[in-house]
Structures are given as structure tokens and as C-alpha cells.
């Protein structure tokens, strides 16, 4: 069906758009600035907000897919979703990620997820769903921008896609509607898992960036306060 | 299944790729990664069926998995397990299902028919689209706001179309100029509506129709022919003010401004006023307020808060012979009548300033009486205004009635002359 290939085109186009055309965030003015702390906080807040938004969007979308997709313990086989960025990670590996890698993984994950979400705009979905999806995509784009801001503040470069190594999630033309529904299910699940993980990622970053409390106390004592 | 072929540029893409190197990124068409989990396949895949029809489906287990057999397989439809008597084993690797008299799909994304292994895991699925082809949409109605745009609404032909995703397309063309146009802004005022924001021509009729399409077929409504000037509506009148009429306890005066967008064209505009008591839901409507921008409500209850709204109909705009379409009601404005200890008369009517006759029964009789009085008595200065003034004066002085003073001349029943208050007051 033309639809599928069109979807793939849409996804690829979107990959390019997202990764190459996100406006380069100008470096923060360093003189007297509070550091990346506030923007890390903002990013953390955004992930919590998106998590909340996703809950209602996923509820509506899964109802549209119909049972058994909207049943609470539904657990279909993960077919062909290996190219979805996986949030699940070994605890030690996660703990030992350096800041740059942590941020890069988040940035790349949401770039992909945003792309797939845009492709989710199924022809047959209701106008109401399309609106909710579009609204969520905009918010997700905001999160991407926020992560980019933190990376720029810390002096890390934004990840660029390398030609030929991009994993594209490209279903073949015979991709059935039921399989598409399963893909949609896993996309929403993975998005949810990523948002949970990101909250922890940014919380960890936030703690690292805070100035040590002792320095402040000493300063005050020296002044005789 | 073709594999490894980059998406051809010739195919219509919803968003054309921004950069040429995009083609190099393609690893398109690779069979879905990590498969080998496609352990079974359902046939038919994603069929479209009429309500009431039957379906024969099969679930075939792939032979490459060791121990793969159709033994113990079962079916669910929308999460509900189907009775075992509907299925039977065709051979060692295929389980068949027979469904009869299908109902319309539970959701527009298709009913989920799933083939499960003995342990409950999902082996394969297929989406069933069960519904009816659309019927002719009907009841198309359109209106134009200030002659600048056109919004249309219609009713879908049948309930059966709701089981499938049915696409509605509103088309229009000028009657004697061949080109068809399609409306693009849907859901403007509800699910079956569309808004045409610009490039509309006046003085030539439009032909408008709706096409409904779904997987099972399509239908086209009858053509509606209309002239934009015959379906004009406008904004509600702005600046509606309601105020008391002196001390009169049963009247309020309503004033408004002609809607500005069409103010140069509203020669024959009609207005309607509606009002209600604060804690009631019943509106009283005053009709036939032609081309004025003020009105007096009479016959109201004293000491009561009233809510008032006004709306406008741009009747006969640009020489159109037809009535236009009533605007929305203006925002409610409130005012209260002065307090009184006596209950006021019931009923309501609009009294235009200048004391023209109104429609209340009390006042009608009064008018007749005054007319008679003018002929048979010497009261040349009698009028409604005088009557109103008398009533206002009566309220003020009902406790001190003995102290009143009158002027003017009018014979009394006992023959003595008494003065009455002159017109000027």
C-alpha cells in the first residue's frame, strides 16, 4: 500500500528534519550565569509534564486500537521493534554513564521517538486523536530543544546522524494493520519508559551540578555572620 | 515482498525530504527486524466486510519452529475468546475459524482477530473492518459570516457508516464556471462541517455537495444551489445597554448598536430581543423589531432583575429577497426594574419610543379608551406618555395621595374641572 512507503518517507524526512534542523542553541552567556542548573531543572520538569500528557494520550489511543490493546496486562510479542531506542538498561551501566553520554542517549532517543510518533498520524484516526498527537509532538519537540540547551550549556556537541548507519524503522510494504497496531503499542510503551528514565537521568544530573553546600557555609563564617 | 528498495521519489510523500543525501540514509524495505517471531499468519489479512456477512479465516503455523502445530490454538476477537465450536483443525498446521452474521466493527481501527498458542501468547492477528457503504449525505445547510466566508454542515446518510472510517469531502463550484473546489477546513462547527475561508464570489450561485467515501464504497449528496447573499449572517449587535425608564417599575429600555461589519448595508435589518427573569429559564421573545436600535420592554415585574439579549438578521442585504440568518445572541445584559409594593401587570411587549401602540391587552384597551375620550371629552393632551407619567407619579405619591396637585383640563364625572399634568413633564 502506498500508505506504508509514504509513512517511511515521512519518518525519514522527519529524522532529517529533527536531527539536522533543530536550531543550533546559542551558547549561554557565561558571565554571572547560574550555570546549567536551571535548564536541567526545566528539562526534568518537562519530562514529568510529558509523562502526564502521555498517560491521557496513550489511554485514548489504545482505546482507539481496541481490546486487547487497551487491557492493562496486555503483553504482545515484541516483533520488529528492535530499532526502537530502548530505555531499559543495566543499572551499573546507567550509573556509570558520563554526563555527555547520558545526555546524548536521551537526545537521540527522543529524536527517534518523535519521528515515529509523527508517522503515527494514521490516516484513519479521528480528528480528535490527530490533534492530541500533534499537541504531544510539539511538547516532545520542546523537550528535545531543552536537552539541546543543556548540552550546549555544558559544551557538548549535538549528535549528528552518520550516513548509512542510521537505524530506520522501515516496515515493508506487506506490513499488516494488526502488526502496525502492535508497533504503535510498543512505541507508546517505550516512550513511557523513556520518560520515566529521563526523569531519573536529569535528577542525577541536577544533583551533580549543584554547588557543594560546605563552600557556602565557610564563606559565611569568614564574614562573621 | 520487495526488499531493500529505497522509497522512490515518484511516490507521493506527505513531507518531501528536505535534503538529497536523505536517499543515502535509506535502509528501507528491510524485512522487519528481529522477525522469526512471525510464527504464524492469519488469512485473510485485514479484510473489509459487510455487516451481516460471514468470514472463514485460517491461522497457519510456520513449519520451521520445532513442535509447531495447530493443536491447542485458539481465537480471540477484541480480547474475547471465541467458542471452540467455531474453530476446527484443517490440517496439522492450520486452524480454521467460521464467523457468521458479523456485527459492525467495535472501533474504526478494525476488530482485532487474534490467533493464540496454547499458552495464550499471540501468534498472529488480523484487523476486520465490518460496516456498510455510505449513503447519501443530506441536509446540507450553509451560512456566510459577513459575506466573507462560508461554513456548511451536513448529516451523514446512515448510521452504518460510523463503523468504518468514512471520509467526507465538501465540494463546491460556481454554477456557470466549471471548476470543482474542495473544502479543506473540516470540523469547523462539529464533526460534519467544513469552513471555506476565502475567495468566494457574490452574485453568482454556488453548487455545493458532499461526497462520502469508505472502504466499502462511496456516495454523493444532492447538489445544493445557493447564493452567498441569501445566507448571510453577522455578528450580534454590540454595546447592548439596558436601563430603567425613569421611575417606571414595569419597563426597561434596551439600546444597541447595529453590527459594525455590515453597518453600511443593513438597511432592512431585523432584530429580535429576548429577556428573562434572573432565576428563570423561560425566555420571552420580542419579534419584529425592524431596523431600530432601541426598544422599550413593558409589562415587567417591579424590583426584578432581567437578563436581555439581542440578535440581528441582515434581511435583504444587497437586494437579496430572502431573509438572512439570525446572528448569535449578544452577551446577556442585566438590569433591574425599580421596586414597588404592588405587583405589576404580567405579559411583555416592546414599546418603541414615541408611544406607538403596542400589543399588550391592558394597553390596547387603554388605547381604545383614550381614543374614545379624545372624541367625547375635552382632553386634548391625552397620550400614553401621559399615562406613564401618571403611573410613575402614582408610585411616588401612593402614601401621600392627599397631597397631589393637578393641572390641565379634563372633565370629571362629577362635572368639576380638574387639572392634569401637561405633556411636557
Amino acid at each position: 500500500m502506498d500508505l506504508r512507503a509514504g509513512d517511511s518517507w515521512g519518518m525519514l524526512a522527519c529524522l532529517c528534519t529533527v536531527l539536522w534542523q533543530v536550531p543550533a542553541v546559542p551558547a549561554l552567556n557565561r558571565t554571572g550565569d547560574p550555570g546549567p542548573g536551571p535548564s536541567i531543572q526545566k528539562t526534568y520538569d518537562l519530562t514529568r509534564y510529558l509523562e502526564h500528557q502521555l498517560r491521557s494520550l496513550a489511554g485514548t489511543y489504545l482505546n482507539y486500537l481496541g481490546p486487547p490493546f487497551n487491557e492493562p496486562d496486555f503483553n504482545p510479542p515484541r516483533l520488529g521493534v528492535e530499532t526502537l531506542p530502548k530505555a531499559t538498561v543495566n543499572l551499573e551501566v546507567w550509573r556509570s554513564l558520563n554526563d555527555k553520554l547520558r545526555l546524548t542517549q536521551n537526545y537521540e532517543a527522543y529524536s527517534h521517538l518523535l519521528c515515529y510518533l509523527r508517522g503515527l498520524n494514521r490516516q484513519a484516526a479521528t480528528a480528535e486523536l490527530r490533534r492530541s498527537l500533534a499537541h504531544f509532538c510539539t511538547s516532545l519537540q520542546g523537550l528535545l530543544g531543552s536537552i539541546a540547551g543543556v548540552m550546549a550549556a555544558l559544551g557538548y556537541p549535538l549528535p549528528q546522524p552518520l550516513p548509512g548507519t542510521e537505524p530506520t524503522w522501515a516496515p515493508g510494504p506487506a506490513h499488516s494493520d494488526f502488526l502496525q497496531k502492535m508497533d504503535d503499542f510498543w512505541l507508546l510503551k517505550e516512550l513511557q519508559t523513556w520518560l520515566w528514565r529521563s526523569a531519573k537521568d536529569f535528577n542525577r544530573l541536577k544533583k551533580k551540578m549543584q554547588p557543594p553546600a560546605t563552600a557556602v557555609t565557610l564563606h559565611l563564617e569568614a564574614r562573621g555572620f | 515482498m520487495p526488499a531493500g528498495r529505497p522509497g522512490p521519489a515518484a511516490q507521493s510523500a506527505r513531507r518531501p525530504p528536505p535534503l538529497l543525501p536523505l536517499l543515502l540514509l535509506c535502509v528501507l524495505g528491510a524485512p522487519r527486524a528481529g522477525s522469526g517471531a512471525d510464527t504464524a499468519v492469519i488469512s485473510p489479512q485485514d479484510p473489509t466486510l459487510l455487516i451481516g456477512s460471514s468470514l472463514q479465516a485460517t491461522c497457519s503455523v510456520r513449519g520451521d519452529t520445532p513442535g509447531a502445530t495447530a493443536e491447542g490454538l485458539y481465537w480471540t476477537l477484541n480480547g474475547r475468546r471465541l467458542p471452540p465450536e467455531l474453530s476446527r483443525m484443517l490440517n496439522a498446521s492450520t486452524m480454521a475459524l467460521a464467523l457468521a452474521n458479523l456485527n459492525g466493527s467495535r472501533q474504526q481501527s478494525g476488530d482485532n482477530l487474534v490467533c493464540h498458542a496454547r499458552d495464550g501468547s499471540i501468534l498472529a492477528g488480523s484487523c476486520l473492518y465490518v460496516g456498510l457503504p455510505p449513503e447519501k449525505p443530506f441536509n446540507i445547510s450553509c451560512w456566510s459570516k459577513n459575506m466573507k466566508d462560508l461554513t456548511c454542515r451536513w448529516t451523514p446518510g446512515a448510521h452504518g457508516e460510523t463503523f468504518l472510517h468514512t471520509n467526507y469531502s465538501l465540494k463546491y463550484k460556481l454554477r456557470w464556471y466549471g471548476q470543482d473546489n474542495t473544502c479543506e477546513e473540516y470540523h469547523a462547527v462539529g464533526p460534519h462541517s467544513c469552513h471555506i475561508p476565502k475567495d468566494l464570489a457574490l452574485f453568482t450561485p454556488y453548487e455545493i455537495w458532499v461526497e462520502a467515501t469508505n472502504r466499502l464504497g462511496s456516495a454523493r449528496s444532492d447538489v445544493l444551489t445557493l447564493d452567498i447573499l441569501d445566507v448571510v449572517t453577522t455578528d450580534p449587535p454590540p454595546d447592548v445597554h439596558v436601563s430603567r425608564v425613569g421611575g417606571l417599575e414595569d419597563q426597561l429600555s434596551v439600546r444597541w448598536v447595529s453590527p459594525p461589519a455590515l453597518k453600511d448595508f443593513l438597511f432592512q435589518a431585523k432584530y429580535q430581543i429576548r429577556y428573562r427573569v434572573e432565576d428563570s429559564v423561560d425566555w420571552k421573545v420580542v419579534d419584529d423589531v425592524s431596523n431600530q436600535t432601541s426598544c422599550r420592554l413593558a409589562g415587567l415585574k417591579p424590583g426584578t432583575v432581567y437578563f436581555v439579549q439581542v440578535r440581528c438578521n441582515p434581511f435583504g442585504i444587497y437586494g437579496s429577497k430572502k431573509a438572512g440568518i439570525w446572528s448569535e445572541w449578544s452577551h446577556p445584559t442585566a438590569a433591574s426594574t425599580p421596586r414597588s409594593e404592588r405587583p405589576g401587570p404580567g405579559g411583555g411587549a416592546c414599546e418603541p419610543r414615541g408611544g406607538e401602540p403596542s400589543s399588550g391587552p391592558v394597553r390596547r384597551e387603554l388605547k381604545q379608551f383614550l381614543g374614545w375620550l379624545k372624541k367625547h371629552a375635552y382632553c386634548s393632551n391625552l397620550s400614553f406618555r401621559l399615562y406613564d407619567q401618571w403611573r410613575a407619579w402614582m408610585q411616588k405619591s401612593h402614601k401621600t395621595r392627599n397631597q397631589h396637585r393637578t393641572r390641565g383640563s379634563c372633565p370629571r364625572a362629577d362635572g368639576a374641572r380638574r387639572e392634569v399634568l401637561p405633556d411636557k413633564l
Side-chain angles (χ1 to χ4, degrees), chain A residues 69-94:
Chain A
F69 293 93
N70 57 356
E71 277 158 18
D73 49 358
F74 184 56
N75 190 23
R78 289 183 78 111
L79 308 173
V81 294
E82 312 310 330
T83 51
L84 269 184
K86 283 214 193 60
T88 325
V89 67
N90 176 280
L91 182 61
E92 286 314 313
V93 172
W94 181 78

PDB file of all heavy atoms in Angstrom, chain A residues 69-94:
ATOM      1  N   PHE A  69      -5.600  -4.299  23.072  1.00  0.00           N
ATOM      2  CA  PHE A  69      -4.511  -3.332  23.234  1.00  0.00           C
ATOM      3  C   PHE A  69      -4.682  -2.440  24.446  1.00  0.00           C
ATOM      4  O   PHE A  69      -3.699  -1.963  25.004  1.00  0.00           O
ATOM      5  CB  PHE A  69      -4.368  -2.482  21.978  1.00  0.00           C
ATOM      6  CG  PHE A  69      -3.887  -3.279  20.798  1.00  0.00           C
ATOM      7  CD1 PHE A  69      -4.785  -3.841  19.910  1.00  0.00           C
ATOM      8  CD2 PHE A  69      -2.532  -3.476  20.600  1.00  0.00           C
ATOM      9  CE1 PHE A  69      -4.339  -4.600  18.837  1.00  0.00           C
ATOM     10  CE2 PHE A  69      -2.079  -4.228  19.529  1.00  0.00           C
ATOM     11  CZ  PHE A  69      -2.984  -4.796  18.647  1.00  0.00           C
ATOM     12  N   ASN A  70      -5.952  -2.182  24.818  1.00  0.00           N
ATOM     13  CA  ASN A  70      -6.170  -1.279  25.944  1.00  0.00           C
ATOM     14  C   ASN A  70      -6.355  -2.032  27.255  1.00  0.00           C
ATOM     15  O   ASN A  70      -6.755  -1.448  28.254  1.00  0.00           O
ATOM     16  CB  ASN A  70      -7.383  -0.379  25.672  1.00  0.00           C
ATOM     17  CG  ASN A  70      -8.637  -1.179  25.405  1.00  0.00           C
ATOM     18  OD1 ASN A  70      -8.619  -2.397  25.353  1.00  0.00           O
ATOM     19  ND2 ASN A  70      -9.747  -0.479  25.212  1.00  0.00           N
ATOM     20  N   GLU A  71      -6.085  -3.322  27.256  1.00  0.00           N
ATOM     21  CA  GLU A  71      -6.192  -4.071  28.506  1.00  0.00           C
ATOM     22  C   GLU A  71      -4.920  -3.886  29.320  1.00  0.00           C
ATOM     23  O   GLU A  71      -3.824  -3.844  28.762  1.00  0.00           O
ATOM     24  CB  GLU A  71      -6.466  -5.553  28.225  1.00  0.00           C
ATOM     25  CG  GLU A  71      -7.945  -5.805  27.987  1.00  0.00           C
ATOM     26  CD  GLU A  71      -8.226  -7.063  27.205  1.00  0.00           C
ATOM     27  OE1 GLU A  71      -7.338  -7.932  27.117  1.00  0.00           O
ATOM     28  OE2 GLU A  71      -9.350  -7.173  26.673  1.00  0.00           O
ATOM     29  N   PRO A  72      -5.045  -3.799  30.647  1.00  0.00           N
ATOM     30  CA  PRO A  72      -3.893  -3.394  31.463  1.00  0.00           C
ATOM     31  C   PRO A  72      -2.709  -4.359  31.416  1.00  0.00           C
ATOM     32  O   PRO A  72      -1.574  -3.939  31.488  1.00  0.00           O
ATOM     33  CB  PRO A  72      -4.463  -3.300  32.882  1.00  0.00           C
ATOM     34  CG  PRO A  72      -5.799  -3.921  32.833  1.00  0.00           C
ATOM     35  CD  PRO A  72      -6.275  -3.926  31.434  1.00  0.00           C
ATOM     36  N   ASP A  73      -2.970  -5.647  31.269  1.00  0.00           N
ATOM     37  CA  ASP A  73      -1.859  -6.587  31.318  1.00  0.00           C
ATOM     38  C   ASP A  73      -1.478  -7.084  29.930  1.00  0.00           C
ATOM     39  O   ASP A  73      -0.872  -8.152  29.786  1.00  0.00           O
ATOM     40  CB  ASP A  73      -2.227  -7.770  32.224  1.00  0.00           C
ATOM     41  CG  ASP A  73      -3.604  -8.334  31.864  1.00  0.00           C
ATOM     42  OD1 ASP A  73      -4.258  -7.772  30.951  1.00  0.00           O
ATOM     43  OD2 ASP A  73      -4.034  -9.319  32.490  1.00  0.00           O
ATOM     44  N   PHE A  74      -1.813  -6.336  28.921  1.00  0.00           N
ATOM     45  CA  PHE A  74      -1.538  -6.758  27.553  1.00  0.00           C
ATOM     46  C   PHE A  74      -0.034  -6.786  27.317  1.00  0.00           C
ATOM     47  O   PHE A  74       0.661  -5.810  27.593  1.00  0.00           O
ATOM     48  CB  PHE A  74      -2.216  -5.800  26.571  1.00  0.00           C
ATOM     49  CG  PHE A  74      -2.076  -6.199  25.136  1.00  0.00           C
ATOM     50  CD1 PHE A  74      -2.490  -7.450  24.707  1.00  0.00           C
ATOM     51  CD2 PHE A  74      -1.557  -5.325  24.204  1.00  0.00           C
ATOM     52  CE1 PHE A  74      -2.374  -7.816  23.375  1.00  0.00           C
ATOM     53  CE2 PHE A  74      -1.434  -5.676  22.869  1.00  0.00           C
ATOM     54  CZ  PHE A  74      -1.849  -6.936  22.454  1.00  0.00           C
ATOM     55  N   ASN A  75       0.464  -7.885  26.812  1.00  0.00           N
ATOM     56  CA  ASN A  75       1.902  -8.019  26.613  1.00  0.00           C
ATOM     57  C   ASN A  75       2.196  -8.801  25.341  1.00  0.00           C
ATOM     58  O   ASN A  75       2.495  -9.990  25.383  1.00  0.00           O
ATOM     59  CB  ASN A  75       2.529  -8.713  27.831  1.00  0.00           C
ATOM     60  CG  ASN A  75       4.034  -8.645  27.780  1.00  0.00           C
ATOM     61  OD1 ASN A  75       4.602  -7.774  27.118  1.00  0.00           O
ATOM     62  ND2 ASN A  75       4.691  -9.573  28.448  1.00  0.00           N
ATOM     63  N   PRO A  76       2.093  -8.157  24.171  1.00  0.00           N
ATOM     64  CA  PRO A  76       2.287  -8.879  22.922  1.00  0.00           C
ATOM     65  C   PRO A  76       3.771  -9.122  22.671  1.00  0.00           C
ATOM     66  O   PRO A  76       4.609  -8.490  23.306  1.00  0.00           O
ATOM     67  CB  PRO A  76       1.709  -7.922  21.888  1.00  0.00           C
ATOM     68  CG  PRO A  76       1.959  -6.579  22.466  1.00  0.00           C
ATOM     69  CD  PRO A  76       1.855  -6.726  23.952  1.00  0.00           C
ATOM     70  N   PRO A  77       4.075 -10.020  21.759  1.00  0.00           N
ATOM     71  CA  PRO A  77       5.481 -10.220  21.417  1.00  0.00           C
ATOM     72  C   PRO A  77       6.051  -8.950  20.807  1.00  0.00           C
ATOM     73  O   PRO A  77       5.354  -8.206  20.124  1.00  0.00           O
ATOM     74  CB  PRO A  77       5.439 -11.355  20.393  1.00  0.00           C
ATOM     75  CG  PRO A  77       4.051 -11.392  19.892  1.00  0.00           C
ATOM     76  CD  PRO A  77       3.186 -10.887  20.986  1.00  0.00           C
ATOM     77  N   ARG A  78       7.323  -8.698  21.091  1.00  0.00           N
ATOM     78  CA  ARG A  78       7.981  -7.533  20.510  1.00  0.00           C
ATOM     79  C   ARG A  78       8.505  -7.930  19.140  1.00  0.00           C
ATOM     80  O   ARG A  78       9.601  -8.425  19.012  1.00  0.00           O
ATOM     81  CB  ARG A  78       9.138  -7.080  21.396  1.00  0.00           C
ATOM     82  CG  ARG A  78       8.697  -6.448  22.686  1.00  0.00           C
ATOM     83  CD  ARG A  78       9.895  -5.959  23.454  1.00  0.00           C
ATOM     84  NE  ARG A  78      10.400  -4.700  22.925  1.00  0.00           N
ATOM     85  CZ  ARG A  78      10.324  -3.537  23.551  1.00  0.00           C
ATOM     86  NH1 ARG A  78       9.757  -3.475  24.721  1.00  0.00           N
ATOM     87  NH2 ARG A  78      10.828  -2.448  23.010  1.00  0.00           N
ATOM     88  N   LEU A  79       7.664  -7.714  18.126  1.00  0.00           N
ATOM     89  CA  LEU A  79       8.067  -8.102  16.775  1.00  0.00           C
ATOM     90  C   LEU A  79       8.608  -6.900  16.041  1.00  0.00           C
ATOM     91  O   LEU A  79       7.914  -5.912  15.871  1.00  0.00           O
ATOM     92  CB  LEU A  79       6.851  -8.645  16.001  1.00  0.00           C
ATOM     93  CG  LEU A  79       6.038  -9.746  16.686  1.00  0.00           C
ATOM     94  CD1 LEU A  79       4.798 -10.036  15.863  1.00  0.00           C
ATOM     95  CD2 LEU A  79       6.867 -10.990  16.851  1.00  0.00           C
ATOM     96  N   GLY A  80       9.826  -6.995  15.584  1.00  0.00           N
ATOM     97  CA  GLY A  80      10.345  -5.957  14.694  1.00  0.00           C
ATOM     98  C   GLY A  80      10.485  -4.580  15.305  1.00  0.00           C
ATOM     99  O   GLY A  80      10.569  -3.598  14.588  1.00  0.00           O
ATOM    100  N   VAL A  81      10.512  -4.503  16.635  1.00  0.00           N
ATOM    101  CA  VAL A  81      10.676  -3.169  17.198  1.00  0.00           C
ATOM    102  C   VAL A  81      12.072  -3.000  17.767  1.00  0.00           C
ATOM    103  O   VAL A  81      12.302  -2.211  18.669  1.00  0.00           O
ATOM    104  CB  VAL A  81       9.616  -2.895  18.291  1.00  0.00           C
ATOM    105  CG1 VAL A  81       8.246  -2.850  17.682  1.00  0.00           C
ATOM    106  CG2 VAL A  81       9.684  -3.933  19.392  1.00  0.00           C
ATOM    107  N   GLU A  82      13.001  -3.801  17.243  1.00  0.00           N
ATOM    108  CA  GLU A  82      14.372  -3.734  17.749  1.00  0.00           C
ATOM    109  C   GLU A  82      14.990  -2.381  17.486  1.00  0.00           C
ATOM    110  O   GLU A  82      15.933  -1.984  18.169  1.00  0.00           O
ATOM    111  CB  GLU A  82      15.236  -4.826  17.101  1.00  0.00           C
ATOM    112  CG  GLU A  82      14.620  -6.218  17.115  1.00  0.00           C
ATOM    113  CD  GLU A  82      14.122  -6.639  18.484  1.00  0.00           C
ATOM    114  OE1 GLU A  82      14.700  -6.181  19.491  1.00  0.00           O
ATOM    115  OE2 GLU A  82      13.143  -7.401  18.550  1.00  0.00           O
ATOM    116  N   THR A  83      14.490  -1.673  16.498  1.00  0.00           N
ATOM    117  CA  THR A  83      15.099  -0.397  16.175  1.00  0.00           C
ATOM    118  C   THR A  83      14.553   0.745  17.029  1.00  0.00           C
ATOM    119  O   THR A  83      15.023   1.871  16.930  1.00  0.00           O
ATOM    120  CB  THR A  83      14.890  -0.052  14.689  1.00  0.00           C
ATOM    121  OG1 THR A  83      13.490  -0.207  14.411  1.00  0.00           O
ATOM    122  CG2 THR A  83      15.675  -0.994  13.810  1.00  0.00           C
ATOM    123  N   LEU A  84      13.558   0.460  17.861  1.00  0.00           N
ATOM    124  CA  LEU A  84      13.096   1.486  18.786  1.00  0.00           C
ATOM    125  C   LEU A  84      14.175   1.678  19.840  1.00  0.00           C
ATOM    126  O   LEU A  84      14.721   0.701  20.340  1.00  0.00           O
ATOM    127  CB  LEU A  84      11.820   1.037  19.506  1.00  0.00           C
ATOM    128  CG  LEU A  84      10.462   1.362  18.914  1.00  0.00           C
ATOM    129  CD1 LEU A  84       9.377   0.905  19.847  1.00  0.00           C
ATOM    130  CD2 LEU A  84      10.333   2.849  18.645  1.00  0.00           C
ATOM    131  N   PRO A  85      14.485   2.930  20.186  1.00  0.00           N
ATOM    132  CA  PRO A  85      15.514   3.143  21.209  1.00  0.00           C
ATOM    133  C   PRO A  85      15.045   2.571  22.548  1.00  0.00           C
ATOM    134  O   PRO A  85      13.967   2.914  23.009  1.00  0.00           O
ATOM    135  CB  PRO A  85      15.643   4.668  21.267  1.00  0.00           C
ATOM    136  CG  PRO A  85      14.389   5.202  20.697  1.00  0.00           C
ATOM    137  CD  PRO A  85      13.870   4.196  19.727  1.00  0.00           C
ATOM    138  N   LYS A  86      15.851   1.705  23.129  1.00  0.00           N
ATOM    139  CA  LYS A  86      15.438   1.040  24.364  1.00  0.00           C
ATOM    140  C   LYS A  86      15.868   1.828  25.592  1.00  0.00           C
ATOM    141  O   LYS A  86      17.034   2.160  25.758  1.00  0.00           O
ATOM    142  CB  LYS A  86      16.059  -0.360  24.435  1.00  0.00           C
ATOM    143  CG  LYS A  86      15.378  -1.382  23.574  1.00  0.00           C
ATOM    144  CD  LYS A  86      15.428  -2.754  24.240  1.00  0.00           C
ATOM    145  CE  LYS A  86      15.049  -3.854  23.266  1.00  0.00           C
ATOM    146  NZ  LYS A  86      15.948  -3.915  22.098  1.00  0.00           N
ATOM    147  N   ALA A  87      14.893   2.073  26.462  1.00  0.00           N
ATOM    148  CA  ALA A  87      15.218   2.808  27.689  1.00  0.00           C
ATOM    149  C   ALA A  87      15.822   1.885  28.735  1.00  0.00           C
ATOM    150  O   ALA A  87      16.639   2.294  29.555  1.00  0.00           O
ATOM    151  CB  ALA A  87      13.952   3.451  28.243  1.00  0.00           C
ATOM    152  N   THR A  88      15.389   0.637  28.708  1.00  0.00           N
ATOM    153  CA  THR A  88      15.853  -0.313  29.713  1.00  0.00           C
ATOM    154  C   THR A  88      17.357  -0.509  29.597  1.00  0.00           C
ATOM    155  O   THR A  88      17.887  -0.709  28.507  1.00  0.00           O
ATOM    156  CB  THR A  88      15.175  -1.676  29.481  1.00  0.00           C
ATOM    157  OG1 THR A  88      13.857  -1.431  29.028  1.00  0.00           O
ATOM    158  CG2 THR A  88      15.149  -2.476  30.748  1.00  0.00           C
ATOM    159  N   VAL A  89      18.025  -0.447  30.728  1.00  0.00           N
ATOM    160  CA  VAL A  89      19.487  -0.540  30.703  1.00  0.00           C
ATOM    161  C   VAL A  89      19.948  -1.117  32.036  1.00  0.00           C
ATOM    162  O   VAL A  89      19.272  -0.963  33.054  1.00  0.00           O
ATOM    163  CB  VAL A  89      20.082   0.864  30.427  1.00  0.00           C
ATOM    164  CG1 VAL A  89      19.804   1.804  31.588  1.00  0.00           C
ATOM    165  CG2 VAL A  89      21.560   0.786  30.144  1.00  0.00           C
ATOM    166  N   ASN A  90      21.049  -1.775  31.998  1.00  0.00           N
ATOM    167  CA  ASN A  90      21.638  -2.346  33.212  1.00  0.00           C
ATOM    168  C   ASN A  90      21.943  -1.229  34.212  1.00  0.00           C
ATOM    169  O   ASN A  90      22.442  -0.168  33.840  1.00  0.00           O
ATOM    170  CB  ASN A  90      22.926  -3.085  32.813  1.00  0.00           C
ATOM    171  CG  ASN A  90      23.657  -3.621  34.001  1.00  0.00           C
ATOM    172  OD1 ASN A  90      24.369  -2.878  34.675  1.00  0.00           O
ATOM    173  ND2 ASN A  90      23.485  -4.902  34.275  1.00  0.00           N
ATOM    174  N   LEU A  91      21.640  -1.459  35.474  1.00  0.00           N
ATOM    175  CA  LEU A  91      21.775  -0.406  36.489  1.00  0.00           C
ATOM    176  C   LEU A  91      23.198   0.130  36.608  1.00  0.00           C
ATOM    177  O   LEU A  91      23.413   1.337  36.679  1.00  0.00           O
ATOM    178  CB  LEU A  91      21.300  -0.940  37.851  1.00  0.00           C
ATOM    179  CG  LEU A  91      21.349   0.068  39.001  1.00  0.00           C
ATOM    180  CD1 LEU A  91      20.446   1.261  38.711  1.00  0.00           C
ATOM    181  CD2 LEU A  91      20.949  -0.589  40.314  1.00  0.00           C
ATOM    182  N   GLU A  92      24.163  -0.786  36.597  1.00  0.00           N
ATOM    183  CA  GLU A  92      25.569  -0.346  36.729  1.00  0.00           C
ATOM    184  C   GLU A  92      25.987   0.483  35.523  1.00  0.00           C
ATOM    185  O   GLU A  92      26.679   1.492  35.658  1.00  0.00           O
ATOM    186  CB  GLU A  92      26.493  -1.560  36.883  1.00  0.00           C
ATOM    187  CG  GLU A  92      26.420  -2.214  38.263  1.00  0.00           C
ATOM    188  CD  GLU A  92      26.479  -1.200  39.399  1.00  0.00           C
ATOM    189  OE1 GLU A  92      27.361  -0.311  39.363  1.00  0.00           O
ATOM    190  OE2 GLU A  92      25.625  -1.272  40.307  1.00  0.00           O
ATOM    191  N   VAL A  93      25.553   0.000  34.368  1.00  0.00           N
ATOM    192  CA  VAL A  93      25.872   0.751  33.145  1.00  0.00           C
ATOM    193  C   VAL A  93      25.271   2.146  33.245  1.00  0.00           C
ATOM    194  O   VAL A  93      25.925   3.157  32.951  1.00  0.00           O
ATOM    195  CB  VAL A  93      25.302   0.013  31.898  1.00  0.00           C
ATOM    196  CG1 VAL A  93      25.451   0.872  30.655  1.00  0.00           C
ATOM    197  CG2 VAL A  93      26.001  -1.327  31.720  1.00  0.00           C
ATOM    198  N   TRP A  94      24.037   2.226  33.689  1.00  0.00           N
ATOM    199  CA  TRP A  94      23.348   3.511  33.784  1.00  0.00           C
ATOM    200  C   TRP A  94      24.051   4.438  34.757  1.00  0.00           C
ATOM    201  O   TRP A  94      24.273   5.607  34.476  1.00  0.00           O
ATOM    202  CB  TRP A  94      21.891   3.278  34.209  1.00  0.00           C
ATOM    203  CG  TRP A  94      21.082   4.543  34.308  1.00  0.00           C
ATOM    204  CD1 TRP A  94      20.541   5.249  33.281  1.00  0.00           C
ATOM    205  CD2 TRP A  94      20.744   5.233  35.499  1.00  0.00           C
ATOM    206  NE1 TRP A  94      19.870   6.342  33.749  1.00  0.00           N
ATOM    207  CE2 TRP A  94      19.973   6.366  35.117  1.00  0.00           C
ATOM    208  CE3 TRP A  94      20.993   5.023  36.868  1.00  0.00           C
ATOM    209  CZ2 TRP A  94      19.458   7.269  36.044  1.00  0.00           C
ATOM    210  CZ3 TRP A  94      20.475   5.937  37.791  1.00  0.00           C
ATOM    211  CH2 TRP A  94      19.726   7.044  37.372  1.00  0.00           C
TER     212      TRP A  94
END
